[in-house]
């Protein structure tokens, strides 16, 4: 049994799966009723949670849909025939999304509600979330309402807590009210802003999938034209993930409002690309209007009246009903005998384009106090609570009861689906707008100020989750609001939005707060600039991040705030590296170190590590190692093994950047021994993400696969697309190496890039283009391979990976025979090649390999031979296979040695390469080794070389034919011709 404390105007719709026993009892004001122990939905007893204080009783379980009396649903046969099969398909695990749009009053909401009731009869759990017209949008509001609705419909609090599972912290970011019900929800993981949002979205989709496993779900999202950017981003995320779930999402929005919401325009464009086609609703047919009038009047309406109202209303259901009710109230429908008049006419003022005037004239039935009360409710918002309205309107409670009852009788307000804190809602937004139009701007401003004060006073325990609402009312209060108070609430609203990873909304609040310069002291301004930079970092607005962090840092220096200075220096250095301003990043880190002077502290060690990473990104190995040496000295003096572990992990990553593969692995192992595994998910992923390619290049596949088994789910969870792509593509290559299938390989790559296009990056794009170029190169589609190679070169950032794209383009130009184009690129980018005896960046070595192969194919043996010593140094790094190029280093050394006419060395390199390819195993590389070895034999032309070459080429031909590589077959045939 559930005990429910009800109040005036409450309603309850029971769940048919749970019996309800009603017991009525009077309670003293302020008393509570503890919920009785309840069975879980599964039939098993929900475990008691001894660590949780007694739960606040649920005040009310609400239906997700209004129980207000509705006009009969008529027409829409075409729409119903399209939507019902979609719902039926979802029952079999094939979810989808529907979009309904057109102007106000066309019946979008009603159609969605009817479909939800159809889905409910089919066994769906249905929930609704609405968007509202506000200057400062509430982050994720429709999804917060859905979460709260699901909580209200749960069998018990413990059952719902169990349903949230490991995603409770992230669901509470979207719906902060959960923390009042479940105070023991853990805090969310600490991640960089962009990854926070991806992690949040992934957690929400996991919770949605988990809920759908026990019962199909339908979610209605109303009025997306007022949606915030974060809600729309989450909607796109979900739309990409419900195809294999028993989930239907129905969303509505008004046509013609998209110009006011650029985020909605982008969302619609993306949904259309995904195959979601918004369905435009038109007016009802004349026959359907006749059915409506029959239901409204309970008698057959004359054709003349049906035709008249149909023509004037354009068949829009809301307009039909409003015009009909208006004519009834004006006494224009029935004669004294209760029969339809035969001379009905509709005045110009009764036309649907003047529907506000019609509503206004209907509202004249209310007296001045009643209109004043409803106007105050309109200022509160589309939905409101009786308690808040009592505070704002300052009308006697009994009189306010009468007003609410009368408004319900008129159909002006209806019961809300939003729970006990907002039990009433206006029947249509046009009703609320009409009420607002009836009061002067100064009165509206005063009422907004009163609403803000009342919310703060009535809900002291929920001010953080309602900060955006309070800030919105204060903003609209104009001169009635105190600037300092407005800044305070804008700041709180921004912080709440940041906590929810709603970066666009947070940015808007912080910028608005900063616009009130006279109300800010230096510390407030510095903190706001830093917070604004955090929001912009989540939106990838890096230049703005840099500008705002610079401003914050100067203010913190003036305030001599040591902690804030160190924190901001780290953030600013990181941002400068992102935008490629390496020298400025180095100077910023050095400025922070100068401020700390010679102190021995964890903060100074971290700043040295930051400086080391700045040098490494700027391709300066020795200064990076010197900075790390200083940091490790500090860790030693502090006897802090955890700090040392983190610094060794940084050194491992820097060694990886410079292709010092063995050193990278050694440092990583030392870091683990000192406690480096005890890290946040983000830091752990950073370490694994740098170790994984090192292991791949070293040819330690079994170790690499073990790391990928941990890295891939972690990267997917925190939203790091590059590492997800690296793990998936490496798996695809390993499978291809064992059983070559180009169609399967390409399909695997396409899935990787499609799944992660939500959060693309320069590294990911280069990685993608290089791999797609390789697939086309193998297929023999060299024109397409060249296009992908050119794209990889254009998008390649100036960082430690630079060289992949250049090398890929050079080799492809060489194979297509564009000698001038290839050599021109080599002359332009020769400085990117490794330098002998020096640490070189990770991108320079693959470029070397690609250049050597390309030069050999161009017949430029002299240039290729000159690079042989560097090829030997490449082997000296420990690298066995170059990813994602997937060429063995011994193969490349064999090519360079042959070009240098070092025949014996070339033979040895090819021999070792073949042994490695057998062990790997890699069937295609074996064919390539045979082709290159045969080329060497034909060039050497010693005794028996032609026969050996012919044997090697015949074996290579078999592999190329098996895989389906026509251009490689042509090259091999040409070489075979030389053997004759």
């Amino acid at each position: 049994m559930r005990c429910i404390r009800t109040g005036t105007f409450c309603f309850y719709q029971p769940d048919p799966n749970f019996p309800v026993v009603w017991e009525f009892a009077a309670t003293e004001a302020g008393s509570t009723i503890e919920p009785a122990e309840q069975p879980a939905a599964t039939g098993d007893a929900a475990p008691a949670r001894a660590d949780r204080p007694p739960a606040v009783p649920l005040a009310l379980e609400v239906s997700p849909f209004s129980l207000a009396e509705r006009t009969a649903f008529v027409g829409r046969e075409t729409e119903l025939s399209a939507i019902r099969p979609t719902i039926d398909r979802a029952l079999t695990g094939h979810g989808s999304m529907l979009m309904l749009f057109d102007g106000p009053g066309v019946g979008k909401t009603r159609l969605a509600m009817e479909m939800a009731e159809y889905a409910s009869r089919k066994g769906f759990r249905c929930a609704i979330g609405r968007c509202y017209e506000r200057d400062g949008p509430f982050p994720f509001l429709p999804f917060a309402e859905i979460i709260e609705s699901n909580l209200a419909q749960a069998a018990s609090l413990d059952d719902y807590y169990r349903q949230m599972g490991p995603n409770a912290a992230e669901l509470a970011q979207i719906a902060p009210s959960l923390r009042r019900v479940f105070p023991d929800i853990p805090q969310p993981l600490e991640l960089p802003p962009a990854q926070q949002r991806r992690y949040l979205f992934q957690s929400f989709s996991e919770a949605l999938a988990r809920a759908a496993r026990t019962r199909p779900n339908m979610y209605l999202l109303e009025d997306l034209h007022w949606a915030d950017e974060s809600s729309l981003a989450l909607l796109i995320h979900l739309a990409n993930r419900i195809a294999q779930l028993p989930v239907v999402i129905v969303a509505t929005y008004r046509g013609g409002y998209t110009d006011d919401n650029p985020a909605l325009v982008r969302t619609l464009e993306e949904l259309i690309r995904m195959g979601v086609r918004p369905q435009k609703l038109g007016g009802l047919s004349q026959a359907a209007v006749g059915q409506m009038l029959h239901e409204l009047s309970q008698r057959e309406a004359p054709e003349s009246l049906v035709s008249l109202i149909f023509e004037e209303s354009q068949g829009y259901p809301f307009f039909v009903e409003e015009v009909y009710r208006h004519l009834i109230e004006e006494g224009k429908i029935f004669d004294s005998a209760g029969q339809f008049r035969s001379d009905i006419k509709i005045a110009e003022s009764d036309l649907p384009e003047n529907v506000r005037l019609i509503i206004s004239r209907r509202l004249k039935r209310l007296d001045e106090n009643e209109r004043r009360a409803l106007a105050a409710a309109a200022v509160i918002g589309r939905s409101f609570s009786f308690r808040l309205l009592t505070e704002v309107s300052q009308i006697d409670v009994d009189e306010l009861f009468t007003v609410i009852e009368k408004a319900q009788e008129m159909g002006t307000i209806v019961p809300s689906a939003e729970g006990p804190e907002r039990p009433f809602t206006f029947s249509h937004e046009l009703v609320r707008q009409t009420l607002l139009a009836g009061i002067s701007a100064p009165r509206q401003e005063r009422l907004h100020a009163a609403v803000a004060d009342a919310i703060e006073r009535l809900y002291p325990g929920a001010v953080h989750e309602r900060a955006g609402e309070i800030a919105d009312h204060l903003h609209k209060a104009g001169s009635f609001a105190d600037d300092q108070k407005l800044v305070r609430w804008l700041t709180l609203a921004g912080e709440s939005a940041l906590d929810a990873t709603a970066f666009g909304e947070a940015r808007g609040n912080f910028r608005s707060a900063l616009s009130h310069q006279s109300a800010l002291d230096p510390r407030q301004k510095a903190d706001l600039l830093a917070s604004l930079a955090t929001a912009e970092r989540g939106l990838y607005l890096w230049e703005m991040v840099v500008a705002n962090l610079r401003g914050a840092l100067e203010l913190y220096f003036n305030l001599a705030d040591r902690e804030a200075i160190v924190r901001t220096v780290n953030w600013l250095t990181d941002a400068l590296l992102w935008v490629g301003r390496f020298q400025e990043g180095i100077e910023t880190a050095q400025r922070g170190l100068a401020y700390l002077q010679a102190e021995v502290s964890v903060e100074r060690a971290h700043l040295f590590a930051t400086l080391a990473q700045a040098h490494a990104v700027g391709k300066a190995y020795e200064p990076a190692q010197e900075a790390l040496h200083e940091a490790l000295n500090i860790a030693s003096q502090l006897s802090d093994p955890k700090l040392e572990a983190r610094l060794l992990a940084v050194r491992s990553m820097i060694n990886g950047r410079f292709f010092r593969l063995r050193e990278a692995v050694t440092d990583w192992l030392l870091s683990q021994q000192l406690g480096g595994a005890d890290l946040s998910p983000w830091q752990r992923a950073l370490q694994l993400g740098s170790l994984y390619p090192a292991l791949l290049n070293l040819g330690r596949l079994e170790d690499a696969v073990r790391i990928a088994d941990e890295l891939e789910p972690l990267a997917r969870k925190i939203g790091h697309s590059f590492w997800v792509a690296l793990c998936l593509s490496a798996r695809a290559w390993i499978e291809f190496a064992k059983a070559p299938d180009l169609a399967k390989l390409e399909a695997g790559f396409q899935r990787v890039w499609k799944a992660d296009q939500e959060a693309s990056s320069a590294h990911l794009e280069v990685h993608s283009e290089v791999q797609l170029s390789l697939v086309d190169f193998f297929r023999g589609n060299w024109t397409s391979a060249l296009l992908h190679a050119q794209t990889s070169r254009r998008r390649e950032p100036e960082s430690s990976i630079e060289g992949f794209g250049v090398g890929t383009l050079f080799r492809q130009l060489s194979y297509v025979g564009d000698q001038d184009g290839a050599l021109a690129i080599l002359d332009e980018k020769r400085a990117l090649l490794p330098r002998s005896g020096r640490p070189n960046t990770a991108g320079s070595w693959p470029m070397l390999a690609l250049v050597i192969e390309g030069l050999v194919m161009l017949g430029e043996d002299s240039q290729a031979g000159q690079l042989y010593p560097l090829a030997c140094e490449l082997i000296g790094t420990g690298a066995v296979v170059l990813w994602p190029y997937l060429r063995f280093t011994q193969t490349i050394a064999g090519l360079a040695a042959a070009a240098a006419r070092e025949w014996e060395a070339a033979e040895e390199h090819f021999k070792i390469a073949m042994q490695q390819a057998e062990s790997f195993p890699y069937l295609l590389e074996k064919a390539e080794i045979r082709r290159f070895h045969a080329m060497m034999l034909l060039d050497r032309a010693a005794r028996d070389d032609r026969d050996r070459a012919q044997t090697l080429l015949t074996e290579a031909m078999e592999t190329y034919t098996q895989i389906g590589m026509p251009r490689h077959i042509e090259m091999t045939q040409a070489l075979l011709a030389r053997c004759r």
Side-chain angles (χ1 to χ4, degrees):
M1 184 183 76
R2 173 174 299 170
C3 295
I4 300 174
R5 181 179 180 181
T6 64
T8 308
F9 301 113
C10 289
F11 63 93
Y12 176 80
Q13 178 168 309
D15 188 326
N17 296 318
F18 297 96
V20 178
V21 178
W22 291 98
E23 180 177 335
F24 298 91
T27 60
E28 296 296 327
S31 66
T32 60
I33 302 174
E34 294 298 330
E37 187 174 346
Q38 305 166 58
T42 58
D44 300 324
R49 294 183 56 83
D51 56 337
R52 184 189 306 155
V56 178
L58 279 179
L60 183 68
E61 181 171 307
V62 298
S63 162
F65 309 111
S66 169
L67 295 183
E69 182 180 349
R70 302 178 192 165
T71 306
F73 183 73
V74 300
R76 302 300 185 201
E77 289 80 7
T78 301
E79 292 85 353
L80 293 175
S81 63
I83 297 174
R84 281 176 176 162
T86 300
I87 296 172
D88 295 339
R89 281 195 301 273
L91 282 171
T92 64
H94 297 89
S96 59
M97 181 175 174
L98 301 168
M99 300 283 286
L100 306 175
F101 79 100
D102 207 359
V106 75
K108 301 179 295 296
T109 297
R110 184 60 187 278
L111 176 59
M113 293 295 190
E114 292 295 327
M115 288 300 90
E117 291 186 356
Y118 172 80
S120 184
R121 292 193 296 272
K122 290 281 188 175
F124 282 73
R125 179 190 293 110
C126 301
I128 184 170
R130 293 186 176 88
C131 307
Y132 302 94
E133 184 178 26
R134 291 176 54 179
D135 288 341
F138 189 97
F140 301 115
L141 180 57
F143 293 101
E145 289 188 355
I146 286 171
I147 291 170
E148 291 165 354
S149 174
N150 288 338
L151 171 61
Q153 296 180 73
S156 69
L157 294 182
D158 280 321
D159 183 68
Y160 190 77
Y161 196 93
R162 183 168 53 248
Q163 289 178 31
M164 291 191 293
N167 309 122
E170 289 70 46
L171 293 179
Q173 286 179 269
I174 293 174
S177 59
L178 287 178
R179 291 195 179 276
R180 286 188 282 124
V181 182
F182 306 107
D184 55 339
I185 289 177
Q187 292 301 311
L189 295 175
E190 291 187 11
L191 297 168
Q195 278 63 44
Q196 279 183 352
R197 170 174 281 201
R198 294 269 289 175
Y199 190 89
L200 176 70
F201 286 9
Q202 183 65 23
S203 294
F204 187 89
S205 62
E206 286 177 3
L208 180 148
R210 189 164 50 250
R213 282 198 291 268
T214 59
R215 185 176 176 185
N217 283 265
M218 172 181 272
Y219 300 109
L220 303 188
L221 302 176
E222 279 272 76
D223 296 328
L224 287 187
H225 49 279
W226 289 322
D228 58 287
E229 181 274 336
S230 301
S231 294
L232 294 171
L234 178 53
L235 179 63
I236 289 291
H237 181 88
L238 296 177
N240 273 302
R241 285 159 177 79
I242 62 173
Q244 303 303 318
L245 294 173
V247 173
V248 175
I249 298 175
V250 180
T252 71
Y253 68 96
R254 288 187 192 173
Y257 278 65
T258 52
D259 290 344
D260 299 325
N261 190 345
L264 177 59
V265 175
R266 293 193 297 272
T267 299
L268 293 175
E269 290 172 349
E270 181 63 26
L271 289 173
I272 290 171
R273 278 195 293 270
M274 292 165 53
V276 178
R277 298 287 174 181
Q279 186 168 352
K280 183 176 182 178
L281 298 186
L284 297 174
S285 66
Q286 184 167 326
V289 170
Q291 287 180 268
M292 271 192 74
L293 293 175
H294 181 273
E295 293 294 333
L296 288 167
S297 64
Q298 292 300 299
R299 66 199 76 189
E300 194 70 31
E303 189 60 32
S304 59
L305 177 63
V306 174
S307 177
L308 194 61
I309 292 183
F310 171 72
E311 290 175 5
E312 303 298 357
S313 67
Q314 301 173 28
Y316 277 38
F318 177 71
F319 297 166
V320 170
E321 188 166 350
E322 286 298 311
V323 170
Y324 173 80
R325 292 188 185 279
H326 170 62
L327 293 175
I328 286 286
E329 291 165 4
E330 292 290 309
K332 296 181 178 180
I333 293 285
F334 301 112
D335 59 22
S336 58
Q339 301 300 313
F340 280 106
R341 292 181 181 273
S342 59
D343 58 345
I344 299 173
K345 293 183 180 180
I346 298 180
E348 184 179 345
S349 61
D350 294 333
L351 297 179
E353 55 263 30
N354 289 308
V355 71
R356 286 196 184 190
L357 181 57
I358 295 173
I359 296 171
S360 179
R361 290 171 67 178
R362 290 191 62 217
L363 291 173
K364 286 183 180 179
R365 290 177 56 200
L366 302 167
D367 63 29
E368 184 178 347
N369 276 349
E370 291 168 341
R371 284 197 298 273
R372 186 159 58 99
L374 289 182
V379 169
I380 293 171
R382 177 75 182 274
S383 300
F384 59 93
S385 71
F386 188 86
R387 185 182 180 194
L388 182 56
L389 181 58
T390 303
E391 288 285 323
V392 175
S393 66
Q394 298 181 339
I395 295 175
D396 177 75
V397 172
D398 288 334
E399 185 179 348
L400 198 55
F401 282 158
T402 303
V403 173
I404 296 296
E405 289 166 347
K406 186 173 181 179
Q408 284 186 299
E409 290 172 3
M410 294 173 59
T412 302
I413 62 172
V414 296
S416 166
E418 295 178 50
E421 292 186 1
R422 289 186 175 92
F424 304 107
T425 188
F426 286 97
S427 59
H428 199 281
E429 179 63 16
L430 288 174
V431 175
R432 190 178 81 90
Q433 294 292 340
T434 301
L435 284 163
L436 289 175
I439 55 178
S440 65
R443 183 180 291 276
Q444 283 193 43
E445 290 178 349
R446 187 186 63 78
L447 283 170
H448 279 297
V451 172
D453 289 340
I455 294 172
E456 185 177 359
R457 188 168 58 254
L458 292 175
Y459 306 103
V463 290
H464 283 279
E465 65 194 67
R466 303 190 76 153
E469 187 178 355
I470 294 172
D472 182 60
H473 284 294
L474 287 173
H475 180 74
K476 292 174 179 175
S479 60
F480 287 91
D482 176 73
D483 269 7
Q484 290 186 340
K485 185 175 182 179
L486 175 57
V487 165
R488 172 176 168 249
W489 285 107
L490 284 168
T491 303
L492 281 174
E495 290 170 353
S496 296
L498 270 188
D499 289 342
T501 72
F503 302 119
E505 293 70 34
R507 182 176 185 245
N509 283 310
F510 292 136
R511 292 180 71 181
S512 184
L514 282 164
S515 69
H516 298 272
Q517 292 285 334
S518 61
L520 299 174
D521 61 35
R523 180 169 297 282
Q524 283 178 302
K525 184 176 180 181
D527 290 345
L528 279 169
L529 285 170
S531 296
L532 176 58
T534 301
E536 289 169 338
R537 187 179 175 193
L539 297 170
Y540 299 99
L541 301 174
W542 287 104
E543 291 294 347
M544 294 179 181
V545 171
V546 168
N548 286 313
L549 285 177
R550 282 198 187 283
L553 184 59
E554 295 308 319
L555 289 168
Y556 286 136
F557 269 116
N558 292 337
L559 293 166
D561 187 333
R562 177 183 177 278
E563 181 180 349
I565 289 170
V566 172
R567 181 180 65 246
T568 310
V569 163
N570 278 310
W571 290 353
L572 179 55
T573 302
D574 182 58
L576 287 164
L577 299 184
W578 265 98
V579 297
R581 290 151 66 174
F582 308 131
Q583 187 57 40
E584 290 179 59
I586 291 168
E587 292 168 359
T588 299
Q590 290 172 335
R591 185 183 180 190
L593 287 166
Y595 177 80
L596 295 180
Q597 298 180 348
E599 70 175 52
V600 177
S601 65
V602 172
E603 292 81 5
R604 186 161 171 259
H606 283 156
L607 276 180
F608 269 120
T610 298
L611 176 61
Q613 291 178 83
H615 280 302
V617 174
K619 306 180 183 180
Y621 177 77
E622 287 81 4
Q625 289 296 329
E626 290 171 8
L628 273 175
H629 180 72
E630 293 290 343
L632 285 164
N633 278 342
I634 293 172
S636 177
Q637 292 176 62
L638 292 172
S639 299
D640 188 338
K642 286 191 175 181
L643 174 60
E644 187 177 356
R646 293 193 178 189
L647 294 173
L648 285 169
V650 172
R651 194 169 73 181
S652 173
M653 288 187 280
I654 289 175
N655 278 325
R657 282 184 177 275
F658 288 91
F659 217 68
R660 295 170 62 86
L661 305 175
R662 299 189 188 97
E663 294 84 348
V665 174
T666 299
D667 281 339
W668 187 85
L669 291 173
L670 287 173
S671 171
Q672 302 309 289
Q673 292 170 9
L674 290 171
D678 184 21
L679 298 169
S680 70
W682 175 255
Q683 291 169 326
R684 179 68 175 170
L686 277 176
Q687 289 191 10
L688 295 174
S690 63
L691 176 67
Y692 183 55
L695 291 171
L696 288 173
N697 284 303
L698 286 168
R700 294 170 56 174
L701 291 190
E702 291 184 3
D703 292 334
V705 168
R706 282 197 294 272
I707 293 298
D709 288 341
E710 180 182 356
L711 174 60
E712 183 189 334
L714 182 59
R716 193 180 298 279
K717 185 73 174 177
I718 66 174
H720 202 298
S721 300
F722 179 73
W723 291 327
V724 172
L726 183 61
C727 290
L728 292 178
S729 59
R731 290 184 196 277
W733 274 119
I734 291 170
E735 186 176 344
F736 175 80
K738 295 176 181 177
D741 185 332
L742 286 172
K744 191 173 181 180
L745 179 65
E746 183 177 23
F749 288 159
Q750 293 291 355
R751 283 194 298 273
V752 171
W753 316 138
K754 183 178 179 181
D756 287 294
Q757 58 184 295
E758 293 176 40
S760 188
S761 66
H763 286 64
L764 179 57
E765 290 175 2
V766 171
H767 189 77
S768 166
E769 296 295 338
V770 166
Q771 308 244 10
L772 293 175
S773 178
L774 277 172
V775 172
D776 281 333
F777 173 65
F778 294 156
R779 280 187 180 282
N781 188 354
W782 286 4
T783 300
S784 179
L786 184 58
L787 290 174
H788 284 299
Q790 289 168 336
T791 303
S792 72
R793 170 65 198 105
R794 284 196 304 271
R795 296 181 180 176
E796 193 166 45
E798 292 183 6
S799 67
S800 59
I801 73 161
E802 189 176 13
F804 279 108
V806 174
T808 300
L809 178 57
F810 176 84
R811 187 185 71 157
Q812 194 57 47
L813 287 169
S814 299
Y815 269 95
V816 299
D818 186 352
Q819 186 164 15
D820 291 341
L823 294 178
I825 287 177
L826 180 59
D827 289 342
E828 179 188 353
K829 297 295 182 179
R830 190 178 294 274
L832 294 176
L833 288 170
R835 293 171 296 169
S836 180
R838 300 284 302 277
N840 293 283
T841 60
S844 67
W845 291 111
M847 178 180 170
L848 171 72
L850 290 158
V851 165
I852 288 173
E853 182 176 342
L855 287 170
V856 169
M857 296 310 299
L858 287 172
E860 295 285 341
D861 285 1
S862 174
Q863 289 197 57
Q866 292 173 19
L867 297 175
Y868 176 52
L870 282 175
C872 293
E873 287 189 37
L874 170 59
I875 294 172
T877 65
V880 173
V881 58
L882 297 170
W883 293 77
Y885 172 33
L886 221 67
R887 178 70 80 215
F888 283 26
T889 55
Q890 291 284 354
T891 305
I892 293 300
L895 277 171
R901 301 307 188 253
E902 299 278 352
W903 308 120
E904 291 184 7
E907 289 270 19
E908 183 65 20
H909 288 307
F910 287 135
K911 177 183 176 182
I912 296 172
M914 185 62 73
Q915 291 170 349
Q916 291 172 338
E918 291 278 2
S919 175
F920 196 80
Y922 188 11
L923 182 63
L924 176 57
E925 183 69 1
K926 288 162 63 176
E928 293 285 77
I929 294 167
R930 291 181 175 114
R931 176 167 67 92
F932 294 142
H933 192 180
M935 290 167 58
M936 183 217 80
L937 294 171
L938 290 173
D939 286 343
R940 187 174 63 180
R943 183 178 179 182
D944 298 329
D945 277 354
R946 287 195 176 189
D947 291 340
R948 290 178 60 198
Q950 185 171 10
T951 300
L952 290 170
L953 290 169
T954 301
E955 292 171 348
M957 177 76 79
E958 292 176 2
T959 301
Y960 294 145
T961 303
Q962 175 189 340
I963 297 174
M965 301 173 64
R967 299 299 291 269
H968 282 70
I969 292 172
E970 290 175 10
M971 289 189 295
T972 307
Q973 288 172 337
L975 290 170
L976 280 168
R978 290 175 58 189
C979 297
R980 300 188 184 99

